[in-house]
Structure formats: structure tokens, C-alpha cells
Amino acid sequence: MQDKQFMRETLVDGAKAFKEGKMKRRTFLTLCAMTGFSAAASFPGGAEAAADYIVMWNWGGQSEECHGGAIGKPHEAAGGLPLRFDTSGPLQGKIKEMVDSGNVTADVCDADLFDAVALGASGHLEAIDYNVVSKDKTLPNYALDHGVSIILYGYAFVYDTEAYGDNPPNSWADFFDTAKFPGKRSLYKWANGSLEAALMADGVDKDALYPLDMDRALNKIKGMKDDSLYWGSGSEAHSMCVNGEVTMGMVWQNRGRNIEEDTEGRYKLVMNQALAMPGAYIVPKGNPAGREEIMKFIAQAQDPDAQLQLLDCLGMTPSNPAAFDGIPEGQQPYAITSAMNIDGVAFNDPTWWGENGGDAVNAFLEAIS
Amino acid sequence: MSALRRHIHPGWALVAPFLLLVAALYLGPILNILWLSVTDPEPGLGNYQKLFESDSLLRIFWTTIRICLITTVGSVFLGYSIAYAMVHCHEKQKSYMLTLLLVSFWISILVRTFSWLMLLGHRGLVNNALEGMGVIAEPIAFMRNELGVLIGMIHYMIPYAVLPLLVNMQSLDMRVMNASRNLGATGSQTFWRIYLPLTTPGIVASSLLIFILSLGFYVTPAVLGGGKVLMIAEYISVQLLVTLKWGTAAMLAGLMLFGVLAMLYIMSRFMKLSTVFGGSS
């Protein structure tokens, strides 16, 4: 991540020099090639978010082509600014640092809704303009002052069908029951999802999770510590399952599908009691493209077609109820808000996480280490 | 210092602007960090108080120090053997060994870390081979635990151990060893009583280097520890990026800084640090 940041800064300086004519085109292109960026993604002013572009700050990977096609193109066709990306990952601390430093280079962050609560309260975010963005085009609790949920992702689990044959696990209670279902488990290292799963396993109703009973959740987690591994990235969660290191693994639900495919069906996804997480668009205070422009962009992202394209491209589930009916047959088992799954999932409370997330993550890290 | 007191060489005037620049660019941010540790979230020593209130912070410190010590001992031991072999083998073999050492030195830490997963992981080469031969029934858990972290870190640190030791060993006067043998000492007596003491500066230099570098390790514990081995660097990064407790992060970073400085100071009481780092004494 640090390297990426450095490369980005190098490139931005290069782009400035090129624009001012201090650097030859060829030299600049070489620099682009060396730093591994395509010239298109970082043309002068692009990566630095001059007002010629909207810069989305996300986690990279496929999301560039997906967000570009689903939201960027239609937004540009409607007269908006073209979309560019910064793929260094908008963690809370980085957003805070960017705004505090006064050098804001991103317009919209593909972040979590609880980030909107935490950073909104400390004045690091622009408020969402609900005259432009619609509160009806997302789930009722997921349109907050400083962020609006565009897609949902979720924490579900996969299990090894060969290990459990005729009596497969179907709930978090089964997941945490290593006597009845022997084998190793993997959980998310940064607490969210893991705490809720532990509470559901301990008998808390999926609609009565918040405020989280931390002691109860951590006890459940500690009880399974010897049989647990903890992952910090999607690829790590993936490899723990595909390599057979665990017989049941908590995963991001869209990864579940890849794991099923990569193990030729040996591992199977369970969506019952999955925890729906609202991914959200949040806007750093003083974003270069301006508040008005970025609100139009966010409104574009609420469009059901855009959301269904993201589902197709990334497996991210739509949050706009108007898109739920459009979820195709093939995505029904994996999408969080599909008719097949929506009644069984628990919904994350971003306000609780925004206010208590820091302490929860620390308590969780201390419990597992 | 005494030279400074007697007269200030005019040469200092030439380097002074640069010295001031470096000092400002280094000291400024460091002071800022230390300032954060007593002002965020509220002024006072609240962040330092946490050290005494929560035993988890102490546990993280202890884990870090334990892993760093084992890493230091392990890599200096292996590095010593390698350096010894390099000094005493044929010139041609020595250049081969040096090449291999430098190649592994230059390979990115991520690549080296993930290679261990391929090699020693649950379905890694070693476990697969042993299972195939029927030696073991279940894969051995080399990785995703503290053992995994130690293997990864020691491996990463070996070149850092070898290079200072190699320099030290090459500068030894071999006639001393010959004299010792000539006077009737056995090979092992010569090693333990002559060779080893003469290489102490090298051992200290590489130990210091490795211990200090290990303190800041982040990638290897995160990848090979299976989430259970939490070292101070990773904890600081979580406080900065995820939980936004910058005060706690600054406090821990400050403690690390002073810990390292204190260590250097204590070492300097016992030996001339400049010889350790290759300067003339």
C-alpha cells in the first residue's frame, strides 16, 4: 500500500512536469510503465483530481473496469466528468490524514457506511445532498448524513462438503460448534462480521444484535481460538479454504462463489444468517471536483442498472430495492438481497460500528492474539 | 566532542545548511509524533497510562520482544555459520555464495514471505511430499502460527547477519589463529578462545541491526502468523488506519524509538559503537 502511494505521488509529479512541458512525452510514458499505471488512468490532472475528472478512491482490482462501466460511462454520457481511480485503499486513517493535510485528491471513496459515521462526526466528510441523491434508492437505515450505501457485501461462511457429508452445517451455531463439526475455522481479523457471527452462534436473534454484547461475543471467539485462523484480506480467506487449511471459513459472500468454483463444488457457501454490510460512497471534505458534481455521480450509482452491472461484474449486491427483482437467476444464491436470501440475513448497524468500531477492533485483536 | 570544544572547523559552515535541513525534516515529524502522544485524544499522559491499565498492550510488547530476540539469535547463529564458511572456502565458491546471498537479499519481502506458504503451507511442497511418502498422516502446521513467523523472519534476516560478520571476519589477521595452533591449542580451543572473541564486534553489529529491524516487522507476522501473532508494528498501523487512535499509535511509536535509543546507549557504555558499524576507533 505504501509503495502504491509512493508510485502515485511520483506519477502525479511526473504528470505535472509533463503538463508544463518540462518532461518529454516519452519520458512520462516510460514513468507510467515503470510505476505500473496505464497512462489513461493517470493523464495530467487525472490522478491528482484536478476538476477535469472525478477520482474514485477504492481498492483496485477488477473494480476499476466494473465501476468505470457501470457508473463512470453513464455519468459521463449524462454530461458529467469522466471517472478516474486511485486504488490505494481508502482506510479511515488515510482519509483523515488527507483531509487534515489540506491536500484532498479524491472525490469519492468506496468505503464502509460506518466510516461515514466515524469521519462524519469529526468533520472530515461532505454531507450527502439528499435533494440530488435519493433516500428511497437504498435500504431505509442506510442513507446517513455523510454517506449512502450503494452496494452491500456480506460475511457468510463456506464449509467442506467432504468433511461433513450428510449433516452439513447451516448456521453460525454450527460454525462455532467444533465438537459436532470438528475441524479448523477461519474468521475475519478486523472484528466486524466475526463478532456478530459469534453472538448469533451464542443464541442472539439476528435482529437484536445491536448494541453488541462485546464480552459475550469475545468469550465465544476465545472459546474457539485454538481451532481458528484469522484472515485480513479476501485472497487470504480464499487460500485458506482452497488449500484445505480450514473445514469452515468465514468469507465475503462474493468470494464464496469463487471458492465454490475453484474447489469444483467441494466447498459450499451458506448464506443463512449472513451479515449484510453496507458499502458506502463517502466524500472527503473539500473534494476537488466539487460537491454538486459528486452528488450527481452518487445519484447515478443508485440507478438499478448500474447496481445490477456491479453485481454481475463484482458480485456486490444492490442496495436499491428497485434492483432486487432484477437479480438474475445465477446470482440468486450469492446475492444478499435476493428473494432467496433476504429473509435469512442480519443487517449491520453502521451507527454502532461508527461509534464503537475502534474499541471493538482493539478488543477483538487483543482477544485473538 | 573535545574537538568541537577546542575549535569549530570552518568546514562545518559548509555542511551546516544541510545538517539543519536534515535535522528539521527528521526532528520535526518525530516531535510532532511525540506531541500527538500527549495531546490526542486529550492533553495529558492518558496514552501512557494505558500501558499500566491494559495487560494486552504489555502482552503485545512481550510478543514483539520475544519474537525479535529469537529471530536475532537464530539469524545470527545461521549467519555466523554462513559467513564462516564463506571466509574459509575457495574464492570461486565464495563469490557464488555471495551472489546467492545478495539475490535473496534483493528479493521483495512479500515474495519471500509467500514462498514460505508455498513451501511449508498446509498443502505446500514439504507437507505434500511427506504425506505422499507416508511419513505423516496430517499436514504439519509450520505456517500460520508463531513458528511460521519465526521461520519467515529468520530467513529474511540472514543476509543482514552475514554481511557485517563477513566484513568483520575478513579483516581478521589469520596469523593469530596460526599462532594459537602453533602454541598447541586444538582447533576448537582456537575457535572458542581466539576466533569468537575477535568476531564479537561483528556479532554485536549484526545482532543490533537485526533486533532493531525486527522490531518494525509488519508483513511477515501478518501473513505467516494466521492473525494470532500480533506485533507492535501491525498494532500501530491498525491504530493509525482503522481505529483512528493516533494518540495510542504515537505513544507506542515513541516508546519504540526510545527503546532503540536506550539500547544503543547501553551498548555504547560497553563498547565503541563506531567499531561495530565499521568506523575506525
Side-chain angles (χ1 to χ4, degrees):
Chain A
M1 271 186 295
Q2 286 304 329
D3 284 353
K4 234 176 187 174
Q5 180 82 10
F6 170 73
M7 295 292 192
R8 190 172 69 92
E9 280 162 14
T10 311
L11 206 59
V12 168
D13 288 341
K16 278 183 192 153
F18 172 58
K19 210 175 187 180
E20 290 164 12
K22 285 185 206 155
M23 188 187 274
K24 283 184 192 157
R25 182 182 181 82
R26 174 172 292 179
T27 319
F28 176 62
L29 290 175
T30 315
L31 188 67
C32 289
M34 277 165 62
T35 49
F37 281 73
S38 69
S42 59
F43 227 60
E48 62 172 318
D52 310 343
Y53 297 99
I54 290 173
V55 173
M56 176 183 270
W57 193 2
N58 67 3
W59 294 91
Q62 258 187 311
S63 49
E64 290 204 19
E65 58 180 86
C66 297
H67 288 101
I71 314 169
K73 287 237 173 72
H75 178 69
E76 201 179 337
L81 295 175
L83 182 62
R84 293 287 178 262
F85 296 92
D86 171 352
T87 58
S88 59
L91 283 169
Q92 267 185 34
K94 291 194 196 169
I95 299 174
K96 181 177 165 177
E97 195 272 335
M98 183 184 270
V99 175
D100 284 347
S101 75
N103 182 23
V104 179
T105 57
D107 291 298
V108 58
C109 311
D110 194 358
D112 276 290
L113 197 51
F114 60 77
D115 295 330
V117 177
L119 292 171
S122 56
H124 289 89
L125 299 178
E126 295 283 351
I128 299 293
D129 181 357
Y130 284 108
N131 296 317
V132 181
V133 178
S134 168
K135 279 196 175 184
D136 299 328
K137 290 183 180 172
T138 187
L139 289 169
N141 301 322
Y142 288 169
L144 304 181
D145 290 349
H146 296 93
V148 57
S149 174
I150 300 299
I151 55 87
L152 303 169
Y153 66 96
Y155 292 96
F157 71 91
V158 294
Y159 69 92
D160 182 357
T161 52
E162 283 179 30
Y164 304 121
D166 296 335
N167 181 25
N170 189 41
S171 65
W172 291 115
D174 295 345
F175 185 93
F176 277 82
D177 189 343
T178 46
K180 199 167 152 204
F181 298 94
K184 295 262 183 202
R185 306 289 195 269
S186 59
L187 290 162
Y188 186 47
K189 186 161 90 173
W190 288 0
N192 64 62
S194 297
L195 291 170
E196 283 90 344
L199 286 174
M200 284 189 261
D202 212 32
V204 178
D205 187 85
K206 74 179 175 65
D207 298 320
L209 288 169
Y210 300 95
L212 296 183
D213 182 341
M214 287 299 292
D215 290 336
R216 190 170 170 185
L218 292 177
N219 270 335
K220 194 79 182 168
I221 303 268
K222 279 185 196 161
M224 205 174 61
K225 194 166 148 182
D226 290 340
D227 289 312
S228 304
L229 300 175
Y230 305 92
W231 53 268
S233 69
S235 58
E236 212 178 345
H238 188 106
S239 75
M240 283 177 179
C241 296
V242 174
N243 290 333
E245 284 175 77
V246 295
T247 51
M248 281 193 226
M250 171 183 274
V251 291
W252 283 316
Q253 116 284 346
N254 56 337
R255 280 270 181 181
R257 177 176 201 159
N258 304 353
I259 293 173
E260 284 188 2
E261 282 164 7
D262 286 356
T263 58
E264 286 159 357
R266 177 166 169 172
Y267 280 75
K268 199 169 166 1
L269 181 70
V270 175
M271 283 296 287
N272 182 35
Q273 292 185 331
L275 179 74
M277 294 291 300
Y281 284 1
I282 59 178
V283 181
K285 192 112 195 158
N287 69 300
R291 182 160 174 255
E292 197 181 332
E293 169 69 16
I294 204 67
M295 290 304 146
K296 285 185 202 154
F297 176 84
I298 295 177
Q300 179 65 45
Q302 292 191 304
D303 178 59
D305 285 339
Q307 300 207 342
L308 288 169
Q309 271 189 55
L310 284 182
L311 172 68
D312 182 52
C313 197
L314 289 170
M316 301 292 196
T317 305
S319 70
N320 183 348
F324 294 176
D325 288 338
I327 295 173
E329 193 67 28
Q331 289 283 2
Q332 284 279 332
Y334 307 100
I336 292 160
T337 48
S338 68
M340 198 171 156
N341 292 330
I342 192 165
D343 292 332
V345 297
F347 285 90
N348 170 276
D349 178 357
T351 310
W352 188 90
W353 270 101
E355 287 163 1
N356 304 288
D359 292 330
V361 170
N362 278 343
F364 186 82
L365 280 179
E366 282 151 17
I368 64 172
S369 65
Chain B
M1 280 310 278
S2 60
L4 255 179
R5 238 177 284 129
R6 256 181 282 125
H7 69 287
I8 295 174
H9 195 276
W12 284 104
L14 273 178
V15 286
F18 304 104
L19 271 183
L20 285 175
L21 189 69
V22 168
L25 292 182
Y26 265 109
L27 290 180
I30 287 177
L31 288 177
N32 193 10
I33 292 276
L34 294 177
W35 180 245
L36 260 185
S37 77
V38 289
T39 53
D40 181 284
E42 53 206 32
L45 292 175
N47 288 316
Y48 291 89
Q49 214 175 334
K50 277 186 204 152
L51 271 181
F52 302 98
E53 284 165 356
S54 90
D55 44 277
S56 55
L57 275 180
L58 288 179
R59 212 178 60 224
I60 294 168
F61 260 113
W62 171 233
T63 310
T64 310
I65 289 171
R66 187 181 67 233
I67 288 178
C68 291
L69 279 177
I70 301 176
T71 303
T72 308
V73 171
S75 37
V76 170
F77 177 75
L78 291 171
Y80 196 92
S81 322
I82 294 172
Y84 190 84
M86 282 171 82
V87 173
H88 292 91
C89 68
H90 198 272
E91 197 60 34
K92 197 171 171 188
Q93 288 161 323
K94 184 180 161 188
S95 69
Y96 284 140
M97 288 171 82
L98 195 63
T99 312
L100 285 176
L101 191 81
L102 288 179
V103 166
S104 79
F105 188 56
W106 287 326
I107 294 176
S108 139
I109 183 164
L110 269 177
V111 175
R112 291 173 65 179
T113 304
F114 280 105
S115 323
W116 279 114
L117 277 184
M118 308 240 166
L119 208 60
L120 292 181
H122 190 79
R123 292 272 158 84
L125 200 63
V126 172
N127 272 324
N128 269 354
L130 289 177
E131 257 184 303
M133 289 189 293
V135 181
I136 51 171
E138 282 288 305
I140 303 171
F142 291 112
M143 292 287 134
R144 309 247 197 240
N145 50 31
E146 198 169 310
L147 176 66
V149 175
L150 287 172
I151 293 175
M153 283 180 65
I154 290 177
H155 173 244
Y156 186 80
M157 287 300 176
I158 283 177
Y160 291 94
V162 173
L163 296 174
L165 283 167
L166 195 62
V167 173
N168 183 235
M169 287 180 186
Q170 270 173 334
S171 67
L172 293 185
D173 188 346
M174 289 310 287
R175 288 175 304 182
V176 179
M177 265 54 80
N178 292 342
S180 154
R181 295 300 301 272
N182 199 359
L183 291 169
T186 63
S188 60
Q189 270 174 330
T190 306
F191 177 79
W192 289 110
R193 293 173 64 177
I194 313 290
Y195 198 85
L196 194 61
L198 282 175
T199 51
T200 316
I203 295 176
V204 173
S206 50
S207 302
L208 267 182
L209 186 66
I210 290 167
F211 189 83
I212 292 171
L213 283 176
S214 307
L215 281 176
F217 253 55
Y218 173 79
V219 172
T220 311
V223 174
L224 299 182
K228 292 182 190 175
V229 184
L230 185 60
M231 284 176 61
I232 207 88
E234 191 179 3
Y235 193 76
I236 290 177
S237 130
V238 171
Q239 304 313 314
L240 279 177
L241 295 174
V242 182
T243 68
L244 296 191
K245 295 187 189 300
W246 287 9
T248 311
M251 180 270 288
L252 292 171
L255 281 183
M256 292 251 286
L257 179 69
F258 286 119
V260 169
L261 289 178
M263 219 164 60
L264 286 175
Y265 176 74
I266 294 168
M267 297 299 302
S268 73
R269 307 292 294 173
F270 293 102
M271 59 194 306
K272 271 207 157 77
L273 279 181
S274 55
T275 52
V276 164
F277 292 112
S280 57
S281 44

